[in-house]
Amino acid sequence: MKKITKVFILASILFASGCGSSTKLVGSWTDKENKSIHLEKIGVAALTPNTSGRYLIERAIAANFKTNNINAVATYDTWPLAGRIGENPEVFKDSEALKNKVKAKVAEQEMDGLMIISLIDKETSERYVNTNNYYGAAGYYGGAPMGTVGFYGHPYGAYYNYYAYAAGTMYDTGYYVEDVTYYLEAKLFDAKNDKLLWFARTKTTNLEDVEKEAAVFADLIVKDIMAKKVIVP
C-alpha cells in the first residue's frame, strides 16, 4: 500500500486548499455595552515563529484596515522579537521584561490600539484516500448491481464476488493524507485603557498558499470589526 503524507509547516501558519479558501471565522466577541471608538493608530503583531509568515499576516491586516480608513501599522521589523520569535526561547523566561518592552514600544510609536494574533491550537488527523474501484466488483458476477454495497461495506452476492472484492483491496492504489488544522485568535485592545475591545477565532485546514490566506484572514477579521462597529474611522 502506498503511503503519502502531506506536511504543512507551521512556519507559514496561514492557509488554503483547493479552489476556495480554507479559512473560516469560528466566532467573535465584543462587549455590546461598549460604544464605538476611534483609534488613531493600531499596531498589528502576529506571534508566529517565522519571519515571512509574520510579515504576510501583519501586512495584510494593516492594509485591510487602511482600506476602511483606519490607520494601522505592522510591527514585524520594529517590535521585540521582530521576526525572531522562534530563534530565542530564552527571552520568554523573563515575562516582565518582555511586557515592559511591549509597553515601551506602544508608547514610543504612539499607538492607542493594538491587535495581537496568535496560534491557540493545532490539530493533525490522517485519512485514507481510496483511488480504486474494487467496491463495485460484485456487480460483474451477479448479485447486487455494480457499486452496491451491503452492511459494513461488504458487497452483496456470492462468495466469489466477495473473494474478488477482498483480493482487489489488497492491491489498491490509495494513499494517506495528513490534514492539519490551525486555530488562530485575534484580539484588539484599547492600548490607552488596557481594555479588550474585540476578539475572534478562525479555523484553517491544509495550508497551501500563505499569502492568499493571509489576505482572506485579514478580510474576515476586519470585516467583523467594522460590521460590529467596534471602531470607527
Side-chain angles (χ1 to χ4, degrees):
M1 185 178 290
K2 186 179 180 183
K3 183 171 181 177
I4 301 174
T5 302
K6 295 182 180 178
V7 180
F8 300 97
I9 302 174
L10 178 61
S12 309
I13 278 194
L14 299 171
F15 335 98
S17 67
C19 299
S21 167
S22 70
T23 303
K24 308 297 180 186
L25 185 68
V26 176
S28 66
W29 170 92
T30 186
D31 189 340
K32 294 181 179 179
E33 295 183 1
N34 287 345
K35 295 181 179 179
S36 302
I37 66 170
H38 171 73
L39 296 174
E40 289 290 338
K41 186 179 183 182
I42 300 173
V44 183
L47 304 184
T48 83
N50 177 267
T51 306
S52 60
R54 178 174 184 177
Y55 167 77
L56 290 170
I57 298 168
E58 293 182 3
R59 185 183 67 169
I61 293 172
N64 207 297
F65 268 128
K66 288 176 181 177
T67 63
N68 287 276
N69 299 313
I70 302 293
N71 183 28
V73 295
T75 65
Y76 58 82
D77 59 352
T78 61
W79 271 48
L81 307 176
R84 301 187 301 278
I85 290 176
E87 297 177 13
N88 187 15
E90 292 296 316
V91 74
F92 295 104
K93 292 182 179 180
D94 191 348
S95 61
E96 286 303 316
L98 187 55
K99 290 176 187 177
N100 291 332
K101 286 181 180 180
V102 171
K103 289 178 183 178
K105 282 295 180 181
V106 167
E108 176 189 315
Q109 297 180 9
E110 299 180 335
M111 295 173 179
D112 56 355
L114 181 64
M115 172 171 283
I116 301 174
I117 300 96
S118 60
L119 177 70
I120 58 171
D121 198 9
K122 175 188 173 184
E123 294 179 352
T124 302
S125 60
E126 195 174 68
R127 60 187 169 88
Y128 183 68
V129 179
N130 195 336
T131 58
N132 68 38
N133 196 32
Y134 291 112
Y135 288 98
Y140 284 111
Y141 301 100
M146 178 70 174
T148 302
V149 178
F151 194 55
Y152 293 120
H154 298 160
Y156 294 109
Y159 62 87
Y160 42 80
N161 294 340
Y162 181 69
Y163 187 93
Y165 152 79
T169 62
M170 295 175 60
Y171 299 99
D172 64 54
T173 57
Y175 57 90
Y176 287 93
V177 295
E178 188 175 79
D179 291 327
V180 181
T181 300
Y182 298 104
Y183 294 89
L184 294 176
E185 186 171 77
K187 291 188 175 184
L188 178 62
F189 294 88
D190 176 348
K192 281 187 176 180
N193 299 301
D194 293 333
K195 184 178 182 180
L196 178 63
L197 298 175
W198 168 96
F199 79 82
R201 289 179 179 174
T202 64
K203 173 183 177 181
T204 299
T205 303
N206 291 350
L207 170 64
E208 288 181 5
D209 188 328
V210 181
E211 187 168 10
K212 171 187 172 183
E213 291 304 311
V216 172
F217 175 77
D219 191 56
L220 284 172
I221 63 175
V222 173
K223 270 186 177 177
D224 193 74
I225 290 170
M226 302 309 293
K228 288 181 167 59
K229 297 182 179 180
V230 180
I231 55 177
V232 293

